[in-house]
Structures are given as structure tokens and as C-alpha cells.
Amino acid sequence: MKSISFLCLIPLLLFISSCGPKTPAPVSSAQPEATPAVASTVAEPAKPTVTCQLKLGFEAWEPYQYTSLDNKPAGLDIELVQAIAGQMGCEIAAQQGTWMDLIAALKSGGVDLLLGASVTPARQEYAYFSDPYRQEQFVLFVRSEDVAGYPQNTLADFIGSGKKVGIISEYYYGAEFAELFKQDALKQQFVEASLGELNLARLLDEDIDGMLEDSFVGHAMLRRKGLDKQIGAHSISMGNTDVFVMFSKATVKPEQVSSFNQALAAIKADGRYNAIVQRYIH
């Protein structure tokens, strides 16, 4: 009877055992206890909180601003402003247009900021300006076969000899150009266009004798179009000038411009600025 009673008790004991609290299995000293999954996120760097969105207007102006093959904004200026905006905790929403259209959009508040701008009294009426973020140099490009026949050393001498020069409407080329352009007798020697490519076509067709363009932009355009043998840079230059980011007074507050300047200083201090610029220096 004892043996029969004991066998009958076994299922009952197993049932009671399965319902009771379980003792944790001992952890082997050779295998440390697993860390909860949430702990792994603590070591990841915190992403900046997005606090604003800035509407950027940009034009086709390689290597500073252009649309890449994957249909995204690219270029030196684009990368710099994206790094600065990221430092501020802002997102950039970009739209492309001609400089004239973008200026109109900035005035109305259709875009918040434009890149590669120079400070002028007229622009200060509708725009704030950042600290300078790079320099540019406009030079005169001419047909290579004509270089020897153009001994002039200044823009005033060049147009004074009857030569015509292609320019982009609403561009600022410096004080020397501004003085010449406001003289009625000389203004007619300047032929305006909405795009640098149009000036290039006019130069090839001999409708103009030269065109003013940023040195990097001009050489990049000539390489891209395979025209670097037919057209080259003349010795006439407008000199190095500072360029700025221009903000719409219709949509941007002065405090945001101050934050932009602080972020610009930060990416210069930690090396991000130089890392971006170096990628575009040939």
C-alpha cells in the first residue's frame, strides 16, 4: 500500500511544484548576465531637437549651389548651410530658381534665406545679413583666341574701349563695377542675363566680348561643358570680397540670425567648416 500511495502522490507533487514560484537558475561565472536592451541606447549621441524649418532658395551655381544627379540640393554653400542649420536644430527645405526670382521671393517671404549674397544698401531694406562665411572673386572670362588682343588691365578700360560685358541681373560685382554701371554712358556696355549659361552662349556667338563670373563657378561651368579650351579667364578681376547669407525681414527674426552666426562660429571651431571646404578645393 505504501508503494501504491507513493506513486499516486507523484503527479500531485509535480502539479504543486509547477504552480509554485520558480527559483532562478544560477548564472555561470563564465557568462555575464545579459544587459537589458534599453541600456544600449544610453551610449548613443543625442540628436538635436528640430525647433524650426528654414526655407532656402538656391540657384544653379556650381560648385556652390546646384541640383545633384539624385535630384537633391548639393554644393559647398548647401553643405555649409545644412551643417549650420543642424547645429541650430533647424531643418532646411530648399527650392531652386533664378536669382531674380529668388530675390523677389525673399522680399515677399516666399523664402527665408539666400546664399552667396553681398551687402548693399538696397538689400538691407528687406534683408538681414549673417556674418561673412566665405569669399568670392569675380573675374572676366573671354574667348581664348582674343586674350592677346585685350591688353586692358581694368574693367573700366575694357568697356571704355567699346567692349561689351555679360552680367547676371541683380548680381553685385563690387564697388568698381557699381560705379561703372550707374553711369549712363557706360551702362549700355553691360548686357544683362538671368543665367550664366546665357552669357556663355552670347560669348561664343560673339554678341559680347567678355562675361563676369565667379572664378570657381566659371571654371566649373567651362569644364562641365567642355569649353575650357575656347574660353578662359582674363587678368581683369574684381578682387576678393566677403559673401553672406541673406535673410528675409518678412519671416526671420534678428534672434534667428544671431543663432545662425553662433552656429557658424561653432562649426568653424570644431573643424566641420574646414572639412566641407576642403572637399571643394582642387
Side-chain angles (χ1 to χ4, degrees), residues 28-108:
S28 169
S29 60
Q31 297 181 354
E33 186 174 357
T35 305
V38 293
S40 62
T41 62
V42 175
E44 295 181 3
K47 295 181 179 179
T49 302
V50 176
T51 58
C52 68
Q53 185 180 77
L54 295 172
K55 293 174 290 184
L56 166 68
F58 74 99
E59 60 175 334
W61 213 45
E62 189 179 349
Y64 298 118
Q65 310 166 37
Y66 59 94
T67 301
S68 64
L69 293 177
D70 57 359
N71 207 34
K72 294 181 180 179
L76 172 59
D77 283 357
I78 299 292
E79 288 197 43
L80 287 176
V81 80
Q82 286 175 336
I84 294 167
Q87 179 71 25
M88 295 170 64
C90 293
E91 288 183 340
I92 293 291
Q95 64 183 64
Q96 186 174 347
T98 66
W99 187 249
M100 288 185 66
D101 290 341
L102 293 174
I103 286 289
L106 189 83
K107 290 179 181 179
S108 67

Side-chain angles (χ1 to χ4, degrees), residues 16 18 50 66 68 80 82 98 103 116 130 140 146-147 149 185 219 236 267-268:
I16 294 172
S18 65
V50 176
Y66 59 94
S68 64
L80 287 176
Q82 286 175 336
T98 66
I103 286 289
S130 71
L140 182 70
D146 296 331
V147 171
H219 284 108
I236 294 175
I267 71 165
K268 284 185 174 182

Side-chain angles (χ1 to χ4, degrees), residues 1 9 36 40 47-48 62 92 96 109 111 119 121 135-136 158 192 206 236 242 252 269 282:
M1 289 295 293
L9 285 172
S40 62
K47 295 181 179 179
E62 189 179 349
I92 293 291
Q96 186 174 347
V111 297
V119 179
Q135 286 195 321
E136 67 185 6
F158 191 80
E192 296 189 61
E206 301 186 8
I236 294 175
D242 288 332
V252 177
H282 301 292

Side-chain angles (χ1 to χ4, degrees), residues 107 119-129 246-250:
K107 290 179 181 179
V119 179
T120 69
R123 290 174 178 175
Q124 286 177 315
E125 293 181 4
Y126 57 83
Y128 300 117
F129 289 85
M246 185 161 54
F247 297 89
S248 173
K249 285 186 176 181

